[in-house]
Amino acid sequence: MRYLYHGGSPAAVRFRLAVIVVDFIIIGFFLAAPILREAGWAFYVLDYLVAAFLIADLTGRALAYTDIRDWLRRPSTWIDLAILATLLFPAWLYNFGFLRMLRLWTLLSSDFFWRTVGRKYDDTRVEEVTRALAALVTFVFVATGFVYATFRGYHTEVHGYLDALYFTVSSLTTTGYGDITLPGAWGRVLSIVIMLTGITLFVRLAQTLVRPHKVRWPCDRCGLQVHDPDAVHCKACGNLLCIPDEGR
């Protein structure tokens, strides 16, 4: 497992590429789940097939990790376990299905992805922008799923998934058309959370697009992780740096 998940051979890279492709297909299934659920038993068959894949993937990652305890302390591991729970018990945990879209964030934020697909762009501006965009997109669909699961049918204008998505985007962008609103104090609190979080994620995305690029080159004296591409000395302690040209 360690060879397949961390190896650099063509066979290991092809294996990881296959896992990533299946991951994106599964994320598409998660996105379409509110509509596919109307398919009845076929939806549950797909649900358990996805659960089987996720169990195999988590098992493989655990076996490939050097320290299993350290792996269990990773937030992404617990997110994947929460997603797995919604897949194994879809009838009981359906209202928590919005958590499944967190799989997009854990995938695009993982070293597993960047060592395989984005090796050329690892630790570059492309990775920073992709991570920021993944956080924004993930939040949109997680918030949409929460609004849909919580407020659909409770004397609101949210009658379907598209209504929930429309409300989330109009709130997140602070456009606030007002044709769809959430009732009560909790509805207002949720609207405020979506607005503030959306603004924060937009600002973070803008910062990654316009701020000067940094390269990851830890200083061996003070440990500062990132520096300007043309830095000769560490700006924190003045230590001489030897950043190679390929790091620039």
Side-chain angles (χ1 to χ4, degrees):
M1 283 295 110
R2 189 172 292 114
Y3 165 77
L4 291 175
Y5 276 89
H6 300 289
S9 69
V13 173
R14 285 196 297 270
F15 169 80
R16 293 197 297 272
L17 281 173
V19 172
I20 290 171
V21 169
V22 174
D23 252 321
F24 276 116
I25 294 173
I26 288 174
I27 290 168
F29 167 73
F30 290 161
L31 187 58
I35 300 173
L36 294 177
R37 196 167 190 266
E38 305 300 326
W41 64 268
F43 169 79
Y44 292 102
V45 171
L46 289 173
D47 212 74
Y48 282 111
L49 287 175
V50 172
F53 169 82
L54 191 56
I55 289 173
D57 184 43
L58 286 172
T59 302
R61 291 174 191 263
L63 293 175
Y65 213 81
T66 305
D67 187 351
I68 189 67
R69 293 182 179 178
D70 183 54
W71 180 77
L72 286 172
R73 286 194 291 265
R74 296 168 64 91
S76 60
T77 300
W78 287 100
I79 290 173
D80 286 336
L81 290 174
I83 294 170
L84 179 60
T86 67
L87 291 166
L88 292 174
F89 308 102
W92 296 278
L93 298 178
Y94 175 71
N95 284 343
F96 293 94
F98 62 89
L99 294 174
R100 296 178 179 183
M101 283 305 296
L102 289 172
R103 182 74 175 182
L104 175 64
W105 177 78
T106 58
L107 175 63
L108 294 182
S109 299
S110 66
D111 291 335
F112 178 84
F113 176 84
W114 290 102
R115 283 188 291 104
T116 306
V117 176
R119 285 175 294 175
K120 180 180 178 182
Y121 304 105
D122 198 12
D123 292 330
T124 65
R125 185 190 296 274
V126 173
E127 180 182 358
E128 292 179 1
V129 172
T130 302
R131 286 176 181 261
L133 186 60
L136 178 60
V137 172
T138 300
F139 174 76
V140 168
F141 286 106
V142 169
T144 297
F146 182 77
V147 170
Y148 176 73
T150 307
F151 290 94
R152 182 176 60 121
Y154 287 93
H155 306 291
T156 69
E157 296 88 352
V158 179
H159 302 296
Y161 190 80
L162 185 59
D163 291 333
L165 179 60
Y166 172 77
F167 168 80
T168 300
V169 173
S170 62
S171 297
L172 183 142
T173 57
T174 67
T175 304
Y177 292 114
D179 51 343
I180 297 180
T181 57
L182 302 182
W186 285 113
R188 291 182 175 86
V189 169
L190 178 59
S191 300
I192 293 171
V193 170
I194 291 175
M195 292 175 195
L196 294 179
T197 306
I199 292 172
T200 302
L201 293 175
F202 270 124
V203 169
R204 181 191 171 195
L205 179 59
Q207 286 177 335
T208 60
L209 289 171
V210 301
R211 70 184 178 189
H213 174 59
K214 304 285 186 177
V215 295
R216 187 174 297 277
W217 189 263
C219 174
D220 55 13
R221 178 185 294 174
C222 70
L224 185 66
Q225 295 293 308
V226 293
H227 298 85
D228 294 325
D230 58 350
V232 177
H233 297 88
C234 175
K235 65 180 181 181
C237 67
N239 185 42
L240 181 66
L241 303 171
C242 297
I243 303 176
D245 290 339
E246 58 267 23
R248 307 180 186 202

